[in-house]
Amino acid sequence: MSNQLQSTTSQGTLGMRQKVYANFVEISKYPERDIYQYDVVVMPERGEFKKLPPPAYMRSVFDAAMGEHRQGKLKGIVMVYDSRKIAYAPERVCGAKETLELEVSYKEDGRAEKYVIRLREAAVVNTKILTEFIRGRGGIEVGEIQAALNALDLAIGSVLHLEMVGFNRSFFTREQSLATTGGLELWRGFSFSVRPGMGRLYLNVNTAVTAMYTAGSLLDGLVRVVGVREPSMLRGRLTRDGVRDMGDVVKYLRGLQVYCSHRGLRGKHKFSVRGTTARALDQESFDWEDPSRPGRTENVTVAEYYLRRYNIKLNFPFLPGITDRRRSVFPIEFCSVAENQRFKGSLNERQTGDMVKFACQQPSKNMDRIVDILKKRQLGSSAIVQSFGLSLPSRLTEVESRVLAAPAIEYGSGQRQQQQQRQQRQQRRQQQQQQQQQQQQLAVAFEPHGGAWDMRGKQVKRPGDELKYWAVLVLAGKSQAPEGAVQSFVTALVSGCRQCGYHIEEHRPPITYGNASADIAREMAAALRGIRSPAGAKPQLLLVVLPTTSLQVYQAVKHCAYRTLGIHTQCMQSKHVRRPNAQYCANLCLKINAKLGGVNQALLQSGLQEVLRGKPTLFMGCDVTHPAPGEQHRPSIASVVGSTNLEASRYAATLVQLPSRQELVGKLQEVVVRHLKLFHRATAVKPRRIVFYRDGVSETQFTQVRDRELIEIQRACASLETGYRPEITFLAVLKCHNTRFFPMGRDGDRTGNCVPGTVVDRSVTMPGLTDFYLFSHAAIQGTSRPTHYYVLHDDAQFSADAIQQLTYSLCYTYAICTRSVSLVPPVYYAHRVAARARCHLLDMGVGFEEAGSETSSASTAAVGAAIPGIATKIIKVSADLDAEMYFM
């Protein structure tokens, strides 16, 4: 297989053309010469670092050395530094095989430290490769230009570091910050990165927000974290045993940098928090030799030590102390939180809500902020930027976009006889093609406007299995969900489902109350035993009323359903029981119908088959989630979904457990074989085409992931039948990027965003590839983010118009939504399945994060690099759910 990514110069032509602003600034001039990359080693005068100090400190030491030696040993040459181990210079600062040593004294908080910085040339970066790449000349991979992009990123970032607090390519300021709960505050900022475009080089600038620690008294911070009024109320709440039950406190303290200062210390002592003492300071003791009584060792408490050693009586001896890496103990009341620290933990529900409100701004305001920062910082006039040969104007780029037409959607007409519905459901699996032809005549087709619609006058396209054997399990107390209210809700749900075209035969299912703190499996089994069903008939659904939004209870319910009982469950919050409304019941109906084999809506088949040229097509989506940072003992999870009907409206899912942090999907051949068989079993035809949407991969990983996984797909096909080679189209999907587009004039929707169907496939797209940005959804608030699709391999030879229209059309088929969605449904479903991994692997904990895919940065590790010790295996679900949409 060729190492080159498949490319084409074709661009789409369909749709209404209009101009939009992109958050890109064209770099009108950039260097076409060598830039020199240096390995940097910063050494203390005595000894060495066991662990590198924080990036901000390393940068300060390096900048001090640059200031001291620039006109001497550095010969006036500017250098930019990544705060760890790499620096770049526009000219050589020493011989190619020489090591340049710079001595520097750096003073912080009244303490001066001496360091030696060693510079040695590591590589010569020829930026001419950027010109070759952006002109689309073959043979150059994205990874090959990354070093040049990194050098230019650092040059620009070095200017921003002078006035803003920087983390990687993002920079923040406390101006217009917002205090939130838990000792944190929210800061606004920007991300900056150099990006290649079609024949041009750009600076991508986007707004950003982040959570920061509130600087100041640590004691005050902990009061806010715990949520009490005063420090005295922290008694007994912060000892080590107590902290284990307080996730917010643990997250707040982990790695926090603090200063300790009291009259017994000269200056301030800065350290990173390791944890807390097991007991309060008036109980925590150690052996100490009093200087006034040499040779005599005695056991004293920490509180007593401060009184005798420094003549300081602690105000809060009933609180624990905090410890550093050396296990030294410091009273909380003497500690203060250092400035400019980013909070790296996950936000709680209240903080997340504040973050969403803080970040949510109208597109016009975000664009104005970007324009304002460009004018204010005047990056192009910086001596550092100019020394690297960069010229930067301050105006945003205008690009051409097109607005694609919305597809026609099919719903049921609601005119079928109930008897006909039952007959069709009984024959659905054996005679699906015949059934689709019958329903085509009875379907209602319409073209949505604005990316949203409702169910008024519509019924589900195809009802699922009639709901006969089901029960209600209430895990909330009767005060939260009285039995009468529960039965009233059931009546409303039955009525709502009937209006949506889905029939529930059992109007009065058994209602059982259970204990959310008890054995959930036992509570669920007890509820199912109350179902009145003939011998051999299996329960179809358990409606579970949850007391709170607790993930622990929800995951326990799903784990038992998926792995033990093999039954569909529909969870809901108890607050909805007392106030059943038609919209909520309709939403539940869509979920239940999808789970029980129905189809809520589908694309008009004539339109879909025109794009597919009548070839049976298997649509697949794939995503990989990784354990949260520091959770290397937990596996990564790959989720793969595949369509199981010709209209691409039903999907089955497969989960694969991977070694921690592995990106490549193991056992993909086995997974694809399974989905090919499921498609054939449901449709009685073999796919002649596979369209595979792959999420969670950065641009530098494209070639490796495509080559490895494409081979696995091809092997899967060949293993089923000699000569079986369906056409394969492989697309990468990136949602986590910083590209934004802003409509001009009145071209936007009611929120000021680009309208659904807006596609951009020129100017700021990747040279030499077929890629496009697509707004497939209507934004509800804030500035919407398009999804970036890359066609990495295409046996079907779709035109640009065809693959764009196909992808956009699929976004109208998400089963439980009366809106077009922002992500193509095969990937959206894969995300849902990945989220359910917490339920499949309940014993592995809940610490998963979505795989990152920032397009502007290089991968920190090779693709496939993983932490060993966890086997690759397919995670099984109950056979009764295996081919169903249990994950909806």
Side-chain angles (χ1 to χ4, degrees):
M1 180 177 295
S2 170
N3 289 329
Q4 302 305 314
L5 294 171
Q6 189 160 333
S7 64
T8 176
T9 56
S10 66
Q11 295 172 332
T13 58
L14 293 179
M16 182 180 65
R17 296 177 182 271
Q18 58 186 32
K19 292 274 190 178
V20 294
Y21 290 110
N23 62 339
F24 284 68
V25 175
E26 182 183 342
I27 298 176
S28 55
K29 179 183 176 184
Y30 61 90
E32 293 191 67
R33 61 170 189 262
D34 291 340
I35 291 177
Y36 299 90
Q37 178 179 324
Y38 290 87
D39 287 335
V40 180
V41 178
V42 180
M43 301 281 291
E45 186 180 38
R46 289 172 290 185
E48 60 183 23
F49 294 124
K50 292 182 179 179
K51 181 180 178 181
L52 283 180
Y57 185 86
M58 294 289 286
R59 177 177 296 278
S60 297
V61 172
F62 188 87
D63 288 347
M66 295 299 101
E68 185 172 333
H69 296 283
R70 178 163 294 134
Q71 300 307 319
K73 292 184 176 182
L74 295 175
K75 299 173 287 190
I77 299 171
V78 170
M79 296 192 76
V80 294
Y81 176 48
D82 74 349
S83 304
R84 307 321 279 166
K85 297 181 178 181
I86 296 175
Y88 294 95
E91 300 176 53
R92 272 202 170 99
V93 297
C94 61
K97 296 184 179 180
E98 296 177 356
T99 298
L100 179 64
E101 290 195 356
L102 306 175
E103 296 181 355
V104 64
S105 177
Y106 177 67
K107 189 174 184 179
E108 183 182 67
D109 301 322
R111 298 187 179 191
E113 300 283 350
K114 292 184 178 180
Y115 297 95
V116 174
I117 298 177
R118 296 190 179 120
L119 304 173
R120 187 174 181 86
E121 188 175 303
V124 178
V125 180
N126 188 345
T127 57
K128 290 181 180 178
I129 196 172
L130 290 174
T131 302
E132 301 290 314
F133 184 81
I134 64 178
R135 290 177 179 172
R137 295 176 182 171
I140 304 175
E141 298 288 345
V142 178
E144 296 178 58
I145 66 170
Q146 200 61 53
L149 295 179
N150 289 344
L152 301 183
D153 280 342
L154 274 181
I156 294 169
S158 294
V159 179
L160 297 166
H161 270 293
L162 299 176
E163 299 182 43
M164 305 177 77
V165 180
F167 307 98
N168 298 320
R169 292 174 172 83
S170 298
F171 301 84
F172 301 90
T173 174
R174 199 178 182 186
E175 296 175 9
Q176 300 179 343
S177 62
L178 174 71
T180 184
T181 61
L184 304 179
E185 53 193 29
L186 306 177
W187 287 20
R188 297 193 189 278
F190 301 87
S191 65
F192 294 80
S193 62
V194 177
R195 294 274 301 162
M198 303 292 287
R200 293 175 173 83
L201 201 62
Y202 293 97
L203 177 66
N204 173 231
V205 186
N206 192 29
T207 56
V209 296
T210 193
M212 303 285 287
Y213 285 97
T214 301
S217 166
L218 176 59
L219 188 61
D220 291 345
L222 289 171
V223 165
R224 289 190 287 268
V225 172
V226 178
V228 294
R229 292 192 302 273
E230 55 186 37
S232 62
M233 299 177 71
L234 293 173
R235 184 188 296 269
R237 304 286 295 274
L238 299 179
T239 54
R240 192 176 298 165
D241 290 340
V243 165
R244 288 197 183 109
D245 297 325
M246 299 174 64
D248 287 345
V249 174
V250 174
K251 287 188 294 184
Y252 180 82
L253 289 176
R254 184 180 294 137
L256 176 64
Q257 286 195 319
V258 300
Y259 289 103
C260 181
S261 176
H262 57 81
R263 66 171 177 258
L265 285 178
R266 277 190 286 176
K268 298 179 181 178
H269 175 62
K270 188 177 183 180
F271 64 94
S272 295
V273 176
R274 183 179 184 274
T276 63
T277 57
R279 295 173 294 179
L281 295 183
D282 57 5
Q283 299 176 23
E284 188 77 22
S285 64
F286 65 100
D287 291 334
W288 176 56
E289 181 180 331
D290 190 335
S292 64
R293 302 176 183 179
R296 180 180 174 183
T297 300
E298 55 186 311
N299 189 266
V300 298
T301 65
V302 175
E304 185 180 358
Y305 166 79
Y306 271 86
L307 182 60
R308 292 173 55 179
R309 180 74 176 85
Y310 300 115
N311 194 29
I312 298 175
K313 184 178 180 180
L314 300 183
N315 293 318
F316 306 101
F318 52 82
L319 296 181
I322 56 174
T323 59
D324 62 9
R325 293 194 191 94
R326 300 176 182 175
R327 300 184 183 275
S328 301
V329 178
F330 304 89
I332 293 173
E333 61 191 84
F334 296 152
C335 296
S336 58
V337 178
E339 292 183 332
N340 300 335
Q341 292 186 80
R342 194 178 197 175
F343 178 68
K344 298 178 182 178
S346 57
L347 302 179
N348 61 31
E349 188 174 349
R350 171 73 180 279
Q351 292 164 344
T352 300
D354 288 344
M355 175 70 85
V356 170
K357 292 177 184 178
F358 187 68
C360 183
Q361 290 197 311
Q362 293 178 345
S364 58
K365 289 186 177 180
N366 270 338
M367 188 175 77
D368 290 344
R369 289 189 63 224
I370 292 170
V371 172
D372 182 65
I373 192 69
L374 290 170
K375 291 180 178 178
K376 187 175 181 180
R377 300 303 174 191
Q378 289 294 316
L379 297 173
S381 63
S382 163
I384 296 176
V385 170
Q386 291 176 357
S387 70
F388 277 84
L390 292 171
S391 179
L392 282 168
S394 299
R395 60 182 180 275
L396 297 184
T397 299
E398 296 181 13
V399 301
E400 185 178 282
S401 71
R402 292 173 291 111
V403 180
L404 304 179
I409 305 296
E410 284 185 334
Y411 275 92
S413 67
Q415 298 171 358
R416 276 169 284 183
Q417 299 287 329
Q418 189 178 84
Q419 183 178 4
Q420 182 185 4
Q421 289 179 330
R422 292 176 180 174
Q423 291 173 350
Q424 289 178 346
R425 283 194 293 271
Q426 291 169 356
Q427 299 171 358
R428 179 169 50 85
R429 296 190 185 280
Q430 294 79 19
Q431 303 175 1
Q432 187 171 14
Q433 287 180 294
Q434 178 183 351
Q435 180 191 42
Q436 288 173 347
Q437 292 172 1
Q438 293 172 351
Q439 292 183 344
Q440 184 77 29
Q441 300 172 358
L442 298 169
V444 173
F446 74 102
E447 293 183 2
H449 296 284
W453 61 98
D454 57 45
M455 290 292 291
R456 284 178 294 184
K458 305 178 188 69
Q459 294 192 343
V460 296
K461 184 175 189 296
R462 185 163 61 250
D465 296 332
E466 197 170 80
L467 189 54
K468 300 178 180 178
Y469 312 123
W470 66 299
V472 180
L473 172 60
V474 184
L475 294 176
K478 289 193 175 183
S479 60
Q480 282 183 277
E483 188 166 0
V486 175
Q487 183 57 59
S488 296
F489 179 84
V490 169
T491 301
L493 177 62
V494 171
S495 175
C497 287
R498 182 174 61 251
Q499 292 177 16
C500 291
Y502 177 69
H503 183 65
I504 299 179
E505 182 173 302
E506 176 56 78
H507 290 196
R508 296 186 67 85
I511 298 171
T512 304
Y513 282 81
N515 184 354
S517 301
D519 183 339
I520 295 296
R522 187 178 64 224
E523 302 293 313
M524 293 173 67
L528 294 176
R529 284 195 294 270
I531 296 176
R532 299 174 291 275
S533 60
K538 292 184 178 180
Q540 296 171 284
L541 178 75
L542 184 63
L543 179 66
V544 183
V545 181
L546 301 174
T548 65
T549 56
S550 167
L551 273 178
Q552 186 175 2
V553 177
Y554 174 83
Q555 290 171 357
V557 169
K558 294 296 184 180
H559 176 78
C560 183
Y562 298 160
R563 305 296 295 273
T564 307
L565 297 176
I567 184 174
H568 290 295
T569 53
Q570 181 58 58
C571 294
M572 60 174 289
Q573 296 298 315
S574 60
K575 65 182 180 181
H576 295 294
V577 167
R578 291 179 179 271
R579 299 185 303 275
N581 64 67
Q583 184 61 52
Y584 184 76
C585 290
N587 291 342
L588 286 188
C589 174
L590 296 181
K591 292 184 178 183
I592 293 170
N593 188 52
K595 288 173 181 175
L596 295 184
V599 173
N600 295 327
Q601 78 261 18
L603 296 174
L604 186 66
Q605 288 306 290
S606 58
L608 177 62
Q609 294 306 318
E610 182 181 350
V611 177
L612 297 177
R613 297 193 286 274
K615 294 183 179 181
T617 301
L618 169 62
F619 290 95
M620 301 190 72
C622 178
D623 185 30
V624 177
T625 57
H626 298 298
E631 303 289 350
Q632 289 87 352
H633 62 287
R634 291 176 177 158
S636 291
I637 299 291
S639 55
V640 182
V641 302
S643 57
T644 56
N645 62 1
L646 296 173
E647 59 193 3
S649 57
R650 289 198 58 78
Y651 288 78
T654 308
L655 276 170
V656 184
Q657 174 180 290
L658 303 174
S660 187
R661 315 306 298 182
Q662 177 171 307
E663 186 58 56
L664 289 171
V665 180
K667 293 189 176 292
L668 184 59
Q669 178 180 339
E670 185 177 343
V671 172
V672 174
V673 166
R674 162 177 147 77
H675 286 283
L676 287 167
K677 289 180 176 179
L678 287 172
F679 184 91
H680 182 265
R681 188 174 76 189
T683 65
V685 297
K686 293 181 294 186
R688 294 176 58 191
R689 177 180 289 140
I690 298 173
V691 179
F692 193 96
Y693 290 95
R694 176 65 156 91
D695 193 18
V697 185
S698 69
E699 289 172 338
T700 56
Q701 299 170 330
F702 281 172
T703 300
Q704 294 163 292
V705 170
R706 180 214 59 178
D707 288 353
R708 171 76 176 272
E709 296 183 357
L710 183 60
I711 288 174
E712 293 295 300
I713 298 170
Q714 292 169 335
R715 287 174 176 170
C717 298
S719 71
L720 290 176
E721 182 180 302
T722 302
Y724 177 48
R725 298 186 63 182
E727 298 170 349
I728 300 171
T729 300
F730 193 106
L731 298 94
V733 183
L734 273 71
K735 188 66 175 173
C736 297
H737 59 78
N738 287 310
T739 298
R740 302 291 184 271
F741 297 101
F742 307 101
M744 294 185 178
R746 298 183 178 181
D747 289 339
D749 63 10
R750 61 179 181 80
T751 66
N753 283 288
C754 294
V755 298
T758 301
V759 63
V760 175
D761 64 356
R762 59 201 70 206
S763 299
V764 295
T765 51
M766 186 63 70
L769 290 180
T770 300
D771 66 316
F772 57 94
Y773 293 94
L774 175 64
F775 289 90
S776 54
H777 66 298
I780 298 175
Q781 60 181 359
T783 303
S784 61
R785 173 170 50 189
T787 300
H788 198 176
Y789 296 91
Y790 301 76
V791 183
L792 304 186
H793 181 86
D794 185 21
D795 292 331
Q797 297 184 332
F798 282 111
S799 67
D801 281 326
I803 195 64
Q804 291 168 13
Q805 187 67 59
L806 175 62
T807 300
Y808 178 48
S809 297
L810 287 173
C811 293
Y812 282 76
T813 64
Y814 189 61
I816 58 174
C817 216
T818 54
R819 304 179 65 89
S820 58
V821 291
S822 64
L823 199 58
V824 68
V827 173
Y828 211 139
Y829 292 141
H831 282 191
R832 286 186 70 95
V833 176
R836 297 300 190 272
R838 301 169 173 85
C839 308
H840 289 278
L841 301 175
L842 200 58
D843 56 323
M844 299 300 292
V846 298
F848 286 87
E849 63 176 359
E850 185 175 338
S853 54
E854 288 291 344
T855 62
S856 62
S857 61
S859 173
T860 56
V863 175
I867 299 170
I870 298 175
T872 299
K873 64 179 182 181
I874 292 178
I875 302 168
K876 301 290 185 181
V877 299
S878 169
D880 293 326
L881 302 177
D882 190 46
E884 303 295 337
M885 296 181 74
Y886 66 87
F887 46 85
M888 299 309 293

